[in-house]
Structures are given as structure tokens and as C-alpha cells.
Amino acid sequence: MTTRLEFKAGEADALLRADIFLARESGLTRSTVRMEDGQVTLGGSPVRKNHRIAPNEIFVVLLPAPRESGIKAQDIPLEILYEDAIVINKPRGMGHPADTARARW
């Protein structure tokens, strides 16, 4: 399900870049608001990220539904050394979920 957000520029927003304005107003990162993909429109037309804002412009942002990451939780025995400082003895070969190598434990 796509989420539709609308943002109206005020006088103080004049001449800001559209990507900076939308990131600030939405609380999202500039890379999340994908302007290159036509997810941001102004008057029904796609907006470039370097568009300089004029007061009272209304931007529409369409955010696609979040995708499943495919990362599954695993029951991995970890030796917790200190709980106050959260020190964990990570076994050799354990990678990050984004690591291209497959889990080896």
C-alpha cells in the first residue's frame, strides 16, 4: 500500500532545495524520498531534487509500502561478558545480515 504525504512550503522555505525541504518536513532521509523515481510531484509533474522552492508550493510524496528484508532472526549462542556496557564476545565468522556471505554458524 502506498502512503501519500503532502507538504506545503511557507515563506521561510523560499529558495530551499526541494530534497532538503522534504527531508526536513517529513522526517525522512533524502535518500528515502526518492525524487529521481517520480515519487515527488508538484502540480502533477515530477520534481527534481534541486528544484528551488517558492512559497505556497504543495508537494505530494508517494512512499511505496515497505518491502520484506528477507532477514530472519536466528538463535545464536552469544557469550554476554558484561550487561551494563553490553559487551558481547562475537564468534569468529559471524557476519552482518547485509554481508554477502551466508551465515556460517
Side-chain angles (χ1 to χ4, degrees):
M1 180 172 159
T2 302
T3 301
R4 177 186 164 103
L5 305 172
E6 287 191 15
F7 301 98
K8 183 176 181 179
E11 295 288 332
D13 302 316
L15 301 179
L16 274 177
R17 281 176 46 129
D19 60 341
I20 294 171
F21 167 75
L22 292 169
R24 185 187 69 203
E25 293 299 309
S26 68
L28 302 169
T29 64
R30 289 191 290 169
S31 61
T32 302
V33 180
R34 299 194 46 88
M35 302 187 75
E36 296 83 15
D37 295 342
Q39 291 179 335
V40 178
T41 58
L42 174 63
S45 299
V47 178
R48 297 176 55 93
K49 63 184 176 183
N50 62 352
H51 170 80
R52 296 293 175 169
I53 293 178
N56 300 315
E57 286 183 323
I58 299 174
F59 296 88
V60 175
V61 179
L62 299 176
L63 296 175
R67 295 179 291 156
E68 287 291 323
S69 68
I71 298 173
K72 303 290 183 202
Q74 298 178 4
D75 185 14
I76 303 168
L78 296 173
E79 178 186 359
I80 300 173
L81 302 176
Y82 303 100
E83 290 189 31
D84 292 340
I86 310 176
V87 176
I88 299 174
N89 186 16
K90 180 179 83 69
R92 172 181 242 164
M94 178 187 290
H96 186 275
D99 191 358
T100 55
R102 296 287 177 221
R104 291 171 272 218
W105 54 87

